[in-house]
């Protein structure tokens, strides 16, 4: 199968590659209820050594920079309480953590979650976190620019491999809130 974006040697429906995904991502695909059929979520195999955006687009095509998104875990704090959330923004932008994220979470302070917290709470590898398979009770803040893209390259839960999904998928994920200006 040919991937809808980018140049990849190995592209297949993610539902057919569950053995290469982390348990939370595989479980989310097995129980898929999205508006887009699960076989339209594509897994592309890739070298984990170039999983970070810069290396990945250098190897697989610079045009992917405008078609890829990052998913980062943030922690919002208010008093003694803390809320974990995920944010999805285009790879060429950064998350407005101290502005829009803090406001959306009703937090006094917001910051990127510690690496151990992000991986421990998601069950995914650092550098491969994806919004598909996150804890269902987490807020999922998605930049509107991501949802507007026909296809988006995003992590697969592991550093090896990526998912290519229609942008509108992100708006239908559990806890999703689509926001203008999340990526700045």
């Amino acid at each position: 199968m040919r991937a809808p974006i980018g140049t990849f040697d190995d592209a297949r429906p993610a539902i057919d590659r569950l053995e290469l995904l982390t348990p939370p991502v595989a479980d989310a695909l097995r129980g898929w209820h999205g508006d887009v059929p699960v076989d339209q979520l594509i897994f592309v195999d890739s070298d984990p050594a170039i999983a970070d955006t810069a290396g990945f687009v250098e190897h697989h095509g610079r045009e992917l920079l405008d078609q890829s998104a990052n998913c980062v875990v943030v922690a919002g704090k208010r008093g003694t309480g803390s809320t974990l959330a995920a944010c999805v923004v285009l790879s060429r932008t950064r998350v407005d953590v101290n502005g829009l994220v803090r406001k959306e979470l009703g937090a006094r302070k917001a910051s990127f979650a510690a690496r151990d917290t992000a991986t421990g709470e998601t069950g995914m590898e650092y550098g491969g976190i994806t919004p598909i398979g996150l804890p269902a009770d987490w807020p999922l803040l998605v930049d509107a620019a991501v949802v507007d893209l026909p296809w988006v390259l995003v992590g697969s839960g592991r550093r090896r491999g990526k998912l290519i999904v229609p942008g509108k998928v992100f708006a239908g994920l559990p806890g999703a809130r689509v926001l203008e200006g999340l990526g700045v």
Side-chain angles (χ1 to χ4, degrees):
M1 136 180 260
R2 182 173 148 81
I5 58 174
T7 306
F8 300 95
D9 295 330
D10 186 3
R12 299 187 214 169
I15 194 72
D16 296 339
R17 302 304 306 263
L18 297 178
E19 75 281 2
L20 296 177
L21 303 171
T22 59
V25 178
D27 290 346
L29 294 175
R30 279 188 203 99
W32 187 253
H33 298 295
D35 293 336
V36 172
V38 71
D39 64 352
Q40 288 187 22
L41 283 65
I42 308 300
F43 176 86
V44 292
D45 205 359
S46 62
D47 181 353
I50 57 167
D52 294 327
T53 303
F56 194 87
V57 300
E58 189 65 36
H59 185 78
H60 290 286
R62 304 270 326 139
E63 72 281 358
L64 288 173
L65 186 59
D66 293 324
Q67 300 169 314
S68 63
N70 290 327
C71 180
V72 297
V73 178
V74 296
K77 297 177 183 163
R78 184 172 218 42
T80 59
S82 181
T83 300
L84 291 175
C87 300
V88 182
V89 298
L90 294 176
S91 295
R92 60 180 157 73
T93 65
R94 59 182 175 77
V95 178
D96 183 10
V97 175
N98 288 311
L100 193 52
V101 171
R102 186 179 56 75
K103 179 181 162 193
E104 282 294 314
L105 296 180
R108 185 182 55 73
K109 180 182 176 188
S111 59
F112 293 105
R115 182 181 188 146
D116 289 346
T117 299
T119 57
E121 295 294 324
T122 64
M124 300 179 201
E125 293 177 3
Y126 194 78
I129 294 175
T130 184
I132 298 170
L134 289 172
D137 59 341
W138 280 20
L140 173 60
L141 310 180
V142 182
D143 191 284
V146 174
V147 175
D148 290 342
L149 288 175
W151 293 97
V152 179
L153 179 85
V154 70
S156 68
R158 289 209 158 107
R159 289 186 60 83
R160 175 184 177 182
K162 301 281 186 187
L163 298 176
I164 298 175
V165 302
K168 63 184 177 183
V169 161
F170 300 107
L173 292 174
R177 291 187 235 162
V178 178
L179 305 169
E180 293 287 340
L182 180 62
V184 294

